Amino acid sequence: MSAEREAPGEDSIRVVCRFRPLNDAEERAGSKFIVKFPPGNDDQCVNLGGKVYMFDKVFKPNASQEKVYNEAAKSIVKDVLMGYNGTIFAYGQTSSGKTHTMEGVMGDPHLQGIIPRIVNDIFNHIYGMEENLEFHIKVSYFEIYMDKIRDLMDVSKVNLSVHEDKNRIPYVKGVTERFVTSPEEVFEVIEEGKANRHIAVTNMNEHSSRSHSVFLINVKQENMENQKKLSGKLYLVDLAGSEKVSKTGAEGTVLDEAKNINKSLSALGNVISALADGNKSHIPYRDSKLTRILQESLGGNARTTIVTCCSPASFNESETKTTLDFGRRAKTIKNAVTVNEELTAEEWKRRYEKEKEKATRYKAKLEKAEAELNRWRAGESVGQEEQVNLRDPMDVSTVSVDLTPVAPVAPVLAAAPAAPLARADLDAERERLYQQLDDKDEEINQQSQLVEKLKEQMMEQEELISATRRDYESLQQEMNRISAENESAKEEAKEVLQALEELAVNYDQKSQEVEAKNRDNESISEELAKQQSTLNTIMSELAQVKDSSAHQRRKLNDLLTSLFKDLNEMGIAFGADLKPSLQPFDPNSTKSEEEFAMARIYVSKMKSEVKNLVQRCQTLESTQGECSKKVDESERELVDLRLLISQHEAKMKALQENMKEVENKKRQLEETVDSLNEECAKLKAAEQMQAVSTIDKAAEQEQALLIKGALEQQLDQHREAHQKQVATLRDEITEKQTVIEDLRDSKRELTLIHEQLVRDFDRLKLEESDKSHKLQELLTANERREQARQDLKASFIFFLHLVTFKNLNVLFSQGLEETVAKELQTLHNLRKLFVQDLQSRVKKSLSGEEPEDGGGSLAQKQKISFLENNLDQLTKVHKQLVRDNADLRCELPKLEKRLRATMERVKVLEAALKEAKEGAMRDRKRYQYEVDRIKEAVRQKNLARRGHAAQIAKPIRAGQHPHQAANQPPAISTPSAVVVPKRILTPGAQQRTDS
Ligand code: ADP
Ligand code: MG
């Protein structure tokens, strides 16, 4: 494939100039803004120190990124998509705004620089183009530092070489090319490259000011209809700072670096000067890699824009001047720009026809010329008009088209002039030397890559060696430890062997014993068989019993539930927290053990309650005693009071008698008064009679008067005495009556008290009887509970016996397990029955009911006794077994201890062995891994010599929506556009595609 250039169009390099604002440092240093922008002139002039510079565009400090892009870079997008090469590079001293101009703030719509804007624009253009165009876009990103090209997409490529393709166009050989289908992918590449750049260097600022970063976008398009192919390369270069070394204050190696960098920049200056001088005989592109890469951009086939970035500060005046001079010189350079078009077969054919025609014409002409020459040689003279016209203009134009690549041409004519021959020789020699130089470059590149890889490998190997050494040491230690352990283990093994021998002897004994035991066991098993048969009969009986018991159970259940209810109530009455444990009794429940346990808990709670009750009873008894004492006392008091009452009654009787006597006396006295009154009346009558017979009887009268007076006196005396006596008697009576009243009152009181006491006594008696009754009740309840508890205990013990028996049986003979299990099941059932029976009995005894069906309980009793007998037999067997077991067990611990020690030792040894093995495995793996890695590295190296890994082309189509393109895998186009599937291109092929 070869590209042909159409008639090249002359195109000067565009140079724009951008001034940034004064920065903080400059303002702080008091620098002045020294540039002037003369008005008018379409922003193309700048005045520095009185000198006016003209550029294609001058951007003032306030020019926005967008403005700079639109006016300096935007047109290049179309050019590139039309098949032209393009270059934009930023030149200027450090911190003059080169990176700001080229990259800006990525992702910021206002502050992003030229590169992101161009990338977005390219894709937007493509999306707006005809549908039958297919694009392949690939990008590369590298930097040039100290004249070494470092791939920013692959850090292992540290010194890439520049080669020329067959069209003599230089390219960076082996640089990573990434196919991209969207701006985002491009930005990812840039980010990745930047990250790699940061990783490789310590001081990024310094590094970026001393290295050139180159971002290359390669756009290829193919018209799917006429197979017309166009390609355009766009170099976006952020150059190193153009300042003089002295200004950076660099020293030593840094100085060397700076010189080297400045060397590449000065090479750039030289190239531009040579181009500007018009002396195109030799342009020193080969002085540096930078100039070689930019060869096409400077004086070659490319539309080039140089952005010179300047500081407006007085401090930087000289640098700004140098920059402006550089720009001015560059502006004079003329490039010859052509479209990079790849010809189709049709066109090639046409061209071939044309050339063929030309060749025939040449042939004819040559024949004419030869004929003329022959005539001349023959001594003829040929006339002017007959001579072949060698200055034919057609001939000149045809000569200029030379399809054969330039190659050393051997001189054909000895008579040819010497100077052009020597020149051709020299050119050829130079070409050869250049070729050699390129080859050497390539070799250097390969060697340096190899060196990098080897260095890495060395480091890894060293690490590996140190790791291995460490491992070896640790393994040695481990070995020592293990061998020591091995020794001790050997000794232990000996001991263990001895012990094992002993054990073997013991084992023989034991096996004999075991045989004996087995025999015993057989007899026991026979016995068991017998038992089994009996059990079977029992089972059948049991079935009958079950029927009866089911009925009983129901009853029992009712009873138990009522009992539990009672207990519950009792619990509630006790106020203790027994309630939660009580559940209604469920005879069908299989969780009898649980229930028993519950019941046990309940009973124990009850016990504690009963204890409480007994205590309370005791206190009640003591209070009762006190009460009875009190009652006795009150009785005694009552007796005393009764005595008192009887005394008082006697007294009253005496007093009444007294009163009667006094009454009698009174009556007597009244009778005497009456008799005396009668006598008086008699005497009056007698007086009257005597009055009749008075005169004679005056003496007598007087006498009678005297007598009368004496009598009256006597009477009065009597009366007085009588009255006195009556008064005293009356007094006495009233006295007595008051006494009687008092006594009566006291008597009434006493009777009241007595009644009260009697009532109290009755009440106390009643209380006492009540209490004693209650006590009696509690005692009976307690007894009942005690009884129930004992029963439960008995059943529990029975159960335990059974369990131990079962365990022993299991221990003794595995074969018997099943039968024993069955037996146990039956026993368990029997136990249940037994327990139920017990419960029913308890219930009955508690409720004081008469046994309802005496026949049933009798049968049960018989069964129980039978079962008890069975139990006894079993217990005997069990005891025998336990004894045997104990004998065996006595010796067991000793042997077990030994065995355990041995086992532990063996385990420890095993673990140590395992560890050692694992360590060895790990080491082996690591070695294996290392070997694999080295192998892989060697393979990679070989591969690198042969060529690089394949890459997948990501064709994108014009007319596709960006989102669609982003959402769909880029290689798969819409159905109408499925033309080019994923293509696998080898880098060699890729590199040649654009040539
Ligand atoms: P260089 O790449 O030439 O060394 P930078 O692009 O890194 O310089 O710019 C140095 C500083 O000046 C940065 O902080 C940048 O943001 C600022 N700067 C450069 N040019 C402009 C401008 N035109 N407007 C505003 N700030 C700028
Ligand atoms: Mg920079």
Side-chain angles (χ1 to χ4, degrees), residues 18-21 61 63 93-101 238:
R18 186 183 195 185
F19 284 89
R20 66 159 166 77
Q93 68 178 116
T94 298
S95 84
S96 60
K98 297 184 296 297
T99 309
H100 179 77
T101 301
D238 185 357

Side-chain angles (χ1 to χ4, degrees), residues 143-145 197 206-213 238-241 261:
E143 67 170 357
I144 306 170
Y145 182 66
R197 203 176 179 196
E206 211 174 270
H207 180 84
S208 77
S209 75
R210 276 147 208 236
S211 65
H212 316 286
S213 83
D238 185 357
L239 290 173
I261 291 151

